Amino acid sequence: MAASLLRLHFHDCFVNAILQGCDASVLLDDVGSFVGEKTAAPNLNSLRGFEVIDEIKSVLESVCPRTVSCADILAITARDSVVLSGGLGWDVQKGRRDSLSASKAAANNNIPGPNSSVATLVAKFQSVGLTLNDMVALSGAHTMGKARCSTFTSRLTGSSNSNGPEINMKFMESLQQLCSESGTNVTLAQLDLVTPATFDNQYYVNLLSGEGLLASDQALVSGDDQTRRIVESYVEDTMIFFEDFRKSMLKMGSLGPLTGNNGEIRRNCRAVN
């Protein structure tokens, strides 16, 4: 579940980041007239790990009720997922409070899509206060996890301009075979074929050999000289990547937190108190 739990934190922080970024709004269920973010396009039938968060929250509530927020649980779980998968840890800042609301529209608009160009990625990250370097470092989370065929069809059809000269025909053929055999867009492919469950710099190595699964991944080496140089530095030295990722995760985790009397400490992460 490591990749899924890391992704939950990312999708939580990127929505309404300026006002109340990492606020556990992503965990709220649709109930009655209340519409959460789980049915937004980037999240629907894609995000998972909610039951893991429920279990952690249940244990915490039994020991110290109304003390640890769901937003903090997401941040800590993301860090632990990286550590348990072979990456370096960091001291997670705590004290976030949980939101009383969610925004499906913001989830649809703010979370970068799998076919994004470098310019789009940079704009999305800069809009929440993160830099181009943060974007390249945080993209390294794709060193773990899977993606559906529907998210990388542009790579297969050539309709994306992010393939560039680094197109790897053998890799493309293997993906086409995987997706055509199933006849469905829900078939999953590994984001990193070499070390799919390990947090390392292999994702960037793959990009340089034309084996980025998503168009937005491959664009980092074919769509911009600046991002390519950063990728190359991560390939040359894993510790540079680990350190940049740590810094960027801390930066993302501190986007517009609810503190003080704002928000609440939910008893159940799926619903406001």
Side-chain angles (χ1 to χ4, degrees):
M1 294 297 290
S4 298
L5 295 170
L6 180 56
R7 191 160 173 254
L8 269 181
H9 182 46
F10 179 84
H11 280 229
D12 183 41
C13 294
F14 244 74
V15 178
N16 287 336
I18 301 302
L19 298 175
Q20 52 184 65
C22 309
D23 61 358
S25 58
V26 73
L27 301 177
L28 292 171
D29 285 339
D30 290 4
V31 179
S33 61
F34 179 86
V35 178
E37 297 164 11
K38 290 182 178 179
T39 54
N43 300 337
L44 184 63
N45 298 321
S46 176
L47 287 186
R48 65 188 195 120
F50 300 110
E51 295 78 10
V52 177
I53 304 302
D54 290 339
E55 187 176 348
I56 294 169
K57 182 62 173 173
S58 176
V59 173
L60 281 168
E61 285 299 303
S62 69
V63 178
C64 36
R66 302 287 294 278
T67 304
V68 183
S69 70
C70 301
D72 275 354
I73 291 173
L74 286 175
I76 296 165
T77 305
R79 186 272 314 275
D80 290 354
S81 295
V82 170
V83 173
L84 290 170
S85 302
L88 293 183
W90 57 90
D91 290 330
V92 177
Q93 294 171 299
K94 302 168 200 71
R96 301 168 189 80
R97 287 168 66 83
D98 300 322
S99 70
L100 303 174
S101 61
S103 176
K104 181 177 179 179
N108 279 323
N109 294 329
N110 297 357
I111 297 171
N115 294 314
S116 300
S117 64
V118 170
T120 298
L121 290 170
V122 170
K124 295 267 189 183
F125 276 73
Q126 287 182 342
S127 71
V128 300
L130 297 172
T131 66
L132 177 145
N133 209 114
D134 292 323
M135 181 271 288
V136 180
L138 291 172
S139 294
H142 285 175
T143 191
M144 304 188 294
K146 302 175 183 180
R148 295 176 179 226
C149 287
S150 58
T151 62
F152 56 86
T153 49
S154 66
R155 291 273 281 142
L156 304 180
T157 60
S159 59
S160 169
N161 60 6
S162 62
N163 288 320
E166 285 82 11
I167 187 167
N168 182 320
M169 289 309 299
K170 186 175 180 181
F171 178 63
M172 289 297 144
E173 288 167 4
S174 68
L175 292 179
Q176 286 171 335
Q177 183 175 359
L178 173 71
C179 295
S180 62
E181 281 180 353
S182 65
T184 172
N185 274 334
V186 299
T187 300
L188 296 169
Q190 301 284 359
L191 285 161
D192 171 7
L193 274 172
V194 184
T195 55
T198 303
F199 192 89
D200 55 19
N201 69 340
Q202 186 63 43
Y203 163 79
Y204 299 105
V205 176
N206 296 343
L207 297 186
L208 292 181
S209 60
E211 294 177 319
L213 184 64
L214 308 179
S216 57
D217 292 329
Q218 198 58 45
L220 297 181
V221 297
S222 61
D224 186 276
D225 289 341
Q226 193 175 354
T227 56
R228 185 184 179 98
R229 284 194 293 272
I230 297 170
V231 169
E232 289 171 343
S233 73
Y234 293 164
V235 170
E236 291 168 10
D237 190 338
T238 304
M239 292 310 298
I240 294 176
F241 163 52
F242 280 177
E243 183 61 22
D244 280 2
F245 187 82
R246 180 190 70 82
K247 290 177 181 175
S248 295
M249 284 295 289
L250 281 167
K251 198 169 170 184
M252 184 184 76
S254 64
L255 293 175
L258 293 172
T259 57
N261 293 322
N262 295 315
E264 64 179 11
I265 306 293
R266 287 184 211 142
R267 289 186 292 265
N268 174 358
C269 290
R270 293 174 179 264
V272 296
N273 293 337

